[in-house]
Amino acid sequence: MVTLQEVKQYLRIDFEDDDTLLLSLISTAKQLVMDVGRMDEERFSENEDVVRTAMLYTVSYSL
């Protein structure tokens, strides 16, 4: 749903040192959004705009 490049652009990160951390945060953000929204994979993909915003917020809040 959200790519590493999208997250790096959103956070204005232009180096690769933290890519592993960011990928982990993206994975965690996906699971949190699914849990809080009580979504399965199908509902997750049906709500792309809301999910994208929620995931970007979750990743940025985690830093």
Side-chain angles (χ1 to χ4, degrees):
M1 183 62 64
V2 175
T3 67
L4 176 61
Q5 282 309 113
E6 285 178 289
V7 168
K8 289 176 80 167
Q9 182 177 3
Y10 181 77
L11 298 172
R12 298 174 190 233
I13 296 174
D14 61 357
F15 51 89
E16 298 175 0
D17 298 349
D18 295 330
D19 284 3
T20 303
L21 171 63
L22 292 173
L23 287 169
S24 176
L25 292 174
I26 291 168
S27 176
T28 301
K30 178 181 179 181
Q31 192 59 54
L32 284 170
V33 169
M34 288 178 71
D35 289 349
V36 170
R38 296 181 179 158
M39 298 179 183
D40 57 14
E41 287 287 338
E42 183 179 343
R43 286 194 59 215
F44 183 82
S45 62
E46 289 173 354
N47 295 290
E48 187 173 336
D49 291 337
V50 173
V51 166
R52 176 172 272 106
T53 301
M55 286 184 66
L56 290 172
Y57 174 79
T58 302
V59 169
S60 66
Y61 187 77
S62 300
L63 291 176

